[in-house]
Amino acid sequence: MTETHITFPDFIEGNDSFQNRKVLIHIKESPTFKGDYDTIVKNLKDKGEEILNAAKSKNAKRFRDSLNTGKTILTLALPIPNSLSDSLGHSWEKDTGVASKLKDFIAGKDSLIGKVTGGMSSALGNISDSTGIRKPMVDPAFFQNYTGSELRTFRLSFDLVPNNKHESKNIIKIIKALKKYSSPEIVIASALMLAPHFFDIEFGNDTVDTLMGIKGVVLTNIEVNYGASGQMAYVGNDGMIKHTSLALTFAERRLSTAEQWDINE
C-alpha cells in the first residue's frame, strides 16, 4: 500500500501540543497533458479563469487557494525549520527624463551636432573651472524606472536527528520523496518527460502560514548533509545516520502582486 503520510519525529503526529510547531509539505498530483484534446483544453481554461477571477477579487486567501494544483498524493510532516526565509525582489533601473533623452538623440556622439555640443560642453567646463562661473547643462532628471519583479523564493532548513530506527527510516523516506517528486518523470523512453510535481507548504502556526503563503510552488534545490555533526557518524550497527541536515529551496510559479497581500487578514 502506498504511503500518504510520512512523519518525523514520531511524537509530533497527533500531538496537539505540537500543532503550532510543525510544518506539512504537501506533494500535489499535478495535472498532465493526458486525455483527449477537448478535456485538456477545458481543464486549462477552467483553471485560468479560476486564477483570473481570484486575482480580480483582490482576496489574498482566495488567490493563494486558486494556485492549488490538485489533490495531495503525499504529505511530509516535519518540526518547524531551524531557519525560514523568503525573498521578494523588484527590479528598478536608473533612467533619465525626456529632455535629457531628446538632447542625447539630437546630439549623438557620432553626429556633427554631437561633436559640436560635446566640444561646447568641454569649453564651458573649462571656463567654469577658470572663472568660478557655474556651468549650465540640461537637467538629466534621473529617476528610478520599474522594470519588473522576481518570483519569490523560500528556503527552509532542518536538523534531523533520529531517536530510533523507525525515525531513521522515515528521514530516509522523506529525503527520497523530496528527490523523487522534484525530479522529472520519463513517460516515453528518451522521447518525453513530464515536469516535476508542485508543492504546498502548510505551517501549523497561522501567523507564519499567512506571512509565507506558499502554494503551488516548485522545489528548485535540495541540499543534504549526512555528516551534519561535523563528521559521518552512525548509531548502532545498522548504519543509522546520527545527524542529517536538510535545506530546501522552493520558488513561486506565478508572480506575487499587491492583490495577494491583505494587511488586514
Side-chain angles (χ1 to χ4, degrees):
M1 182 177 178
T2 304
E3 287 187 270
T4 59
H5 202 100
I6 304 174
T7 300
F8 172 84
D10 293 340
F11 60 79
I12 68 172
E13 183 69 26
N15 190 335
D16 291 340
S17 64
F18 278 86
Q19 177 60 36
N20 290 334
R21 290 182 283 170
K22 68 179 180 181
V23 58
L24 302 178
I25 301 176
H26 301 293
I27 301 169
K28 311 300 287 188
E29 183 180 50
S30 307
T32 62
F33 290 99
K34 295 178 181 178
D36 62 90
Y37 175 81
D38 290 339
T39 301
I40 293 171
V41 171
K42 182 180 183 302
N43 290 341
L44 290 173
K45 181 180 178 182
D46 290 346
K47 190 62 180 177
E49 289 180 351
E50 179 187 352
I51 295 171
L52 181 60
N53 291 333
K56 286 180 178 178
S57 73
K58 297 188 177 182
N59 181 291
K61 184 178 186 304
R62 183 180 172 189
F63 179 80
R64 289 196 298 269
D65 290 345
S66 74
L67 299 179
N68 192 301
T69 54
K71 71 177 184 180
T72 298
I73 56 176
L74 177 62
T75 294
L76 310 176
L78 289 161
I80 55 174
N82 295 335
S83 66
L84 171 65
S85 63
D86 69 343
S87 175
L88 174 59
H90 306 289
S91 300
W92 296 78
E93 64 180 22
K94 187 176 72 174
D95 207 341
T96 56
V98 175
S100 180
K101 281 187 167 58
L102 185 60
K103 184 260 299 182
D104 292 340
F105 175 75
I106 295 174
K109 288 191 299 182
D110 297 328
S111 69
L112 177 60
I113 296 176
K115 292 176 181 177
V116 171
T117 55
M120 289 178 61
S121 176
S122 179
L124 286 171
N126 188 28
I127 293 170
S128 174
D129 181 63
S130 301
T131 64
I133 299 173
R134 296 171 68 184
K135 173 186 173 182
M137 60 182 293
V138 175
D139 180 4
F142 288 124
F143 68 96
Q144 287 288 351
N145 185 23
Y146 173 71
T147 58
S149 294
E150 301 295 327
L151 295 169
R152 277 196 307 160
T153 58
F154 314 90
R155 182 173 171 82
L156 298 80
S157 64
F158 303 87
D159 276 320
L160 310 176
V161 181
N163 296 300
N164 52 58
K165 189 172 182 179
H166 180 260
E167 287 188 354
S168 177
K169 287 184 177 180
N170 274 1
I171 289 173
I172 299 302
K173 286 181 180 180
I174 287 171
I175 293 171
K176 285 183 175 181
L178 291 167
K179 290 182 176 181
K180 174 183 175 67
Y181 291 107
S182 66
S183 301
E185 177 185 352
I186 295 292
V187 178
I188 301 175
S190 302
L192 182 64
M193 289 193 307
L194 293 176
H197 287 67
F198 302 140
F199 297 77
D200 287 350
I201 313 296
E202 179 186 353
F203 296 90
N205 185 303
D206 290 338
T207 300
V208 176
D209 197 55
T210 300
L211 280 171
M212 301 301 289
I214 309 178
K215 296 283 188 180
V217 297
V218 294
L219 179 52
T220 61
N221 190 68
I222 304 171
E223 185 178 339
V224 185
N225 182 356
Y226 299 101
S229 58
Q231 61 180 1
M232 285 297 298
Y234 308 102
V235 178
N237 298 319
D238 57 0
M240 184 172 76
I241 299 172
K242 183 177 181 180
H243 185 185
T244 303
S245 67
L246 174 66
L248 306 174
T249 303
F250 296 89
E252 284 184 323
R253 294 165 28 241
R254 295 185 180 88
L255 189 66
S256 289
T257 60
E259 291 77 19
Q260 186 171 343
W261 305 105
D262 183 356
I263 62 176
N264 297 315
E265 184 179 38

